[in-house]
Amino acid sequence: MVGWMVGLSVVAVSLTASGAETPPAPTPPAVEAPPPAPYCEGEYADSYSALSPKARAFEQAMQKKYTYCVRSTAVYECLSYGAEGNVRRTRTPVSAHGTAFAYRQQAGETLLLTNQHVVEWPDVTSDAHPVDGVPSGCKRVKDGLSIVENEADHYDRDDIPLSTAVVDPQLDLAVIKSKTPLTVMPWKVGKSAAVRERDVVDVRGFPLGVFNATNMGKVISAYDHDEYKDWYHDDFVIDALLSQGNSGSPVLAISCKTGEFELVGVYHAGYSRGSALNVVVGIDQARDLMNNLRRTPKRALEGTTPLDALARARVAKRAEVSATPFFPFGSRTAAVFPRADGTLLFALYEQDFPRRVHPLIVMEDLPVASTEEGFGRVGRVWFGGERGLLERTRADQDAELQQQLARLLDALRRDATLAFSYQDSLPGSDESRQTFDTSARLGKTLERTIVAHRDLSDAAAELADRFAPGATEPATRTESVLKNPPPPGIHLGLADEPGGQPLPSAPPRDSGARQPARSTQGKAARTPSGR
C-alpha cells in the first residue's frame, strides 16, 4: 500500500509538468481491518511470528528478569539409640531449588508465585512424605527460603530472604513475599481456559537451578485433570523440555489481539515415563490466590458419605451379608464385625495378615439412641498380641490415649464406608460409562485414603505394642471378643486356663460372593519437578 501511494504521487507530478489535463482523483478504497496474523485464529497464537516486534525487543533488552531462583532449605532431627541405650539426636540439612516469578508490589512488599512443593517440606518424613537423604520418622526443626543466583551460589550476604504468604496444596501453588523490591512481570494475566492444542508457549525458569533459561514448546493437550496425592486441579500439557528446578516457572502464551505475552499457567510437574509431557496449572484457578491471598476451599473426598445413621446401617448390612468384611487401612488390613445388638466391632490386623490372624486392636462402636447423634460412640477397646486380647478400660486411658483412639475409630469408620462403596461398585462397573467413571473415582479416592492413613496405622501398631497382654496378664481369645464379647467387667480366659469356658459357635454367614475386579493399567505417575 505504501509503494502504491508513492508511485501514484510520481505519476501525478509528471502529468502536471507536461501540461496534460489532470485526471480526476480516484475514489479511495474502503478502509479494511488489517488481516490477522498468520496462525492466529483463536485467543492465542500457534506461531512465534505473531509476537509483536515491540514485545520481542522488550524481552531481549531486559537486563533484570522477573523470574528468580528460589532456594528452600530445611533441617531434620532424627532420633536413634546408642550402644548403651542412650538417645542420639542427629541433624541432617537438606536443600532444593525451584523457580518463582514476581507479579505484584503491594504494601511495600513484592509478591511472587511458585509451587507449594518448592517452598514446603513435610513436618515428619515417612513413606508417604519422603525426603531424599533423610530416613523416615525424622522431624523438621528448621526451614528457610531465599532468592539466590543459582544452585552454586554459596555467598549468603546478598541472598534475598522470603516468607510464605499463603499455600494451596490442592493447586500446588504458593504465594511468597519479599521485603526487597523486585522486578515484576510486565505481562498481563491471561485465560488458561482459552488455551488450545498447538498454541505456542514460552517458559521462563531455572532448570536444575543452574541458570536462567527460556524454553519453548506447544500445547499438546488443552485439558488434564490432576488428582495425584493431594493435588486437585485442572492442567494443560505442553511439550517444552523442562527439568527439575523449573517448578514454579511462568508459562506464557502470545495474545492474537495484542501480540504480547500473557500468563496462562505455572509449570509444576511432569510424567515420569514421558520425555516431554509436562503439566501446567491453569492460571484461571489461581486468581483468588494471587489477588486475595486466599486458598481454595478444601474439597470433600469424592464418593464419601457423611458418617451418620444411614452410613452405619450400610456398613452393618455389608458386614452382615459378606463373608469377607475386610478393607484396607493404611499399610494394614482391617475388618468390621456386626453384633446382634447393633454394635460394630472394628479389628485392625498386622501387616503380614493373614499369615498371622490375631488383631492388634479391637474397638467397640456402640449404636446411638438418636439418628442426630451421628455414626456411633466409642465403647470398649482391646489390645492384642500373640497370647490374645486384653481389655484396657477407660480408667486405664489418659486423655491423650482417648483422643488417639477416637481419631482411630473415626478413620476406621470412614475407610470402611469408602471401601465397601468401592467394592459394591465393581460388579456393575462396566454397565455404562457413568458407572465405570463412578467406580474409577471411588478407586482413586480409596488409594489416596490408604496413603493418608499410613501414619495412623503405624501409630495403632505402636499402641498395641504398649498395651498388649504381657506374660503375666490374663488374655482373652480373639473369638470370644469378635463372636460373643463378654459383658463389661467380665473376663473370659483362654479355653485351656482354669475357669475358661467353651466358646459358643457363631451363626453362619451368607457367602455374599462377588465378581473379581478387572485389572487395568494405571496412568504413568506424575513427579513434582522441583526436587
Side-chain angles (χ1 to χ4, degrees):
M1 184 67 73
V2 174
W4 179 83
M5 291 297 293
V6 171
L8 179 61
S9 301
V10 172
V11 172
V13 170
S14 300
L15 291 175
T16 303
S18 62
E21 184 179 355
T22 303
T27 305
V31 179
E32 297 180 358
Y39 309 107
C40 211
E41 298 178 356
E43 188 80 21
Y44 297 107
D46 292 1
S47 170
Y48 274 90
S49 61
L51 185 64
S52 68
K54 181 180 179 181
R56 188 187 304 271
F58 179 81
E59 279 289 341
Q60 292 176 346
M62 286 190 66
Q63 297 298 323
K64 295 186 66 177
K65 302 296 183 180
Y66 47 85
T67 54
Y68 302 90
C69 183
V70 173
R71 175 178 292 164
S72 179
T73 61
V75 176
Y76 280 90
E77 184 178 75
C78 307
L79 302 181
S80 60
Y81 290 94
E84 298 178 356
N86 56 315
V87 177
R88 292 180 176 177
R89 300 176 184 269
T90 58
R91 294 199 170 193
T92 304
V94 292
S95 66
H97 295 83
T99 301
F101 62 95
Y103 68 91
R104 179 191 301 163
Q105 290 183 351
Q106 174 179 298
E109 297 177 324
T110 304
L111 300 182
L112 303 93
L113 188 63
T114 186
N115 287 142
Q116 177 257 347
H117 75 259
V118 169
V119 303
E120 284 199 337
W121 299 84
D123 293 331
V124 178
T125 58
S126 64
D127 292 340
H129 302 94
V131 174
D132 290 341
V134 181
S136 294
C138 297
K139 181 181 179 181
R140 175 170 52 85
V141 295
K142 185 180 179 181
D143 55 29
L145 200 63
S146 60
I147 292 176
V148 296
E149 293 293 328
N150 50 54
E151 57 92 22
D153 179 10
H154 300 297
Y155 185 71
D156 300 338
R157 290 192 174 185
D158 61 352
D159 294 350
I160 300 175
L162 300 170
S163 60
T164 302
V166 59
V167 296
D168 194 324
Q170 293 184 166
L171 295 180
D172 189 26
L173 293 178
V175 175
I176 54 181
K177 54 187 179 180
S178 166
K179 294 186 179 297
T180 302
L182 302 173
T183 302
V184 176
M185 179 183 67
W187 311 116
K188 65 177 291 189
V189 178
K191 296 178 292 185
S192 55
V195 169
R196 303 187 308 173
E197 294 178 7
R198 297 182 178 84
D199 284 349
V200 69
V201 291
D202 198 271
V203 187
R204 316 291 172 85
F206 286 80
L208 303 179
V210 176
F211 47 74
N212 197 340
T214 299
N215 295 78
M216 297 173 287
K218 287 205 169 188
V219 176
I220 60 176
S221 177
Y223 178 78
D224 180 46
H225 188 64
D226 198 337
E227 296 186 29
Y228 179 70
K229 291 188 177 180
D230 294 332
W231 300 342
Y232 189 82
H233 58 260
D234 294 334
D235 289 329
F236 59 90
V237 188
I238 62 177
D239 64 358
L241 294 175
L242 303 174
S243 309
Q244 291 186 358
N246 271 116
S247 279
S249 298
V251 178
L252 308 172
I254 302 173
S255 170
C256 289
K257 296 179 181 179
T258 64
E260 296 180 349
F261 286 116
E262 290 186 2
L263 177 68
V264 293
V266 180
Y267 168 64
H268 84 119
Y271 282 96
S272 58
R273 297 201 298 268
S275 58
L277 294 176
N278 295 308
V279 287
V280 179
V281 182
I283 203 64
D284 292 348
Q285 305 156 98
R287 293 181 184 274
D288 202 25
L289 185 76
M290 298 171 67
N291 297 332
N292 303 318
L293 303 183
R294 185 170 56 199
R295 60 189 293 179
T296 55
K298 188 175 182 179
R299 68 184 180 97
L301 292 178
E302 295 182 51
T304 58
T305 57
L307 290 181
D308 53 15
L310 181 59
R312 182 186 183 89
R314 290 174 179 171
V315 170
K317 183 64 176 177
R318 175 65 166 74
E320 182 180 355
V321 302
S322 175
T324 55
F326 300 102
F327 59 93
F329 186 75
S331 56
R332 292 171 171 79
T333 300
V336 56
F337 302 96
R339 212 164 65 192
D341 61 355
T343 298
L344 298 177
L345 293 168
F346 287 92
L348 181 65
Y349 296 89
E350 211 12 304
Q351 287 179 319
D352 58 357
F353 177 85
R355 187 166 66 89
R356 290 190 296 176
V357 295
H358 66 272
L360 297 173
I361 295 180
V362 176
M363 302 191 70
E364 204 175 41
D365 191 342
L366 302 174
V368 291
S370 173
T371 58
E372 298 179 357
E373 296 182 40
F375 192 95
R377 58 188 178 88
V378 180
R380 291 173 290 176
V381 179
W382 291 266
F383 294 93
E386 293 285 355
R387 298 185 61 251
L389 297 172
L390 178 63
E391 180 185 349
R392 298 293 181 181
T393 64
R394 196 169 184 84
D396 298 331
Q397 306 169 14
D398 57 20
E400 182 180 357
L401 178 57
Q402 291 178 18
Q403 292 178 358
Q404 286 182 283
L405 294 175
R407 287 195 299 269
L408 177 62
L409 181 58
D410 185 74
L412 289 168
R413 293 165 174 167
R414 293 185 183 279
D415 285 18
T417 303
L418 176 59
F420 291 160
S421 297
Y422 173 65
Q423 294 168 11
D424 291 340
S425 73
L426 292 176
S429 62
D430 59 349
E431 292 181 357
S432 66
R433 167 63 66 177
Q434 182 178 3
T435 57
F436 179 83
D437 290 342
T438 299
S439 180
R441 285 195 299 270
L442 287 171
K444 289 181 180 179
T445 305
L446 183 59
E447 290 177 4
R448 289 194 299 269
T449 304
I450 291 172
V451 174
H453 285 165
R454 285 178 180 172
D455 291 344
L456 193 56
S457 170
D458 293 340
E462 293 176 2
L463 291 178
D465 288 340
R466 290 170 53 193
F467 298 109
T472 60
E473 294 179 296
T476 303
R477 279 191 174 185
T478 301
E479 294 84 353
S480 301
V481 174
L482 295 181
K483 294 184 178 181
N484 189 18
I490 302 297
H491 165 64
L492 290 180
L494 297 174
D496 55 357
E497 291 180 351
Q501 302 295 326
L503 302 175
S505 59
R509 296 180 182 273
D510 295 334
S511 61
R514 296 190 173 276
Q515 298 178 3
R518 291 182 174 85
S519 61
T520 57
Q521 184 174 357
K523 185 170 65 172
R526 300 172 188 267
T527 55
S529 56
R531 295 178 184 149

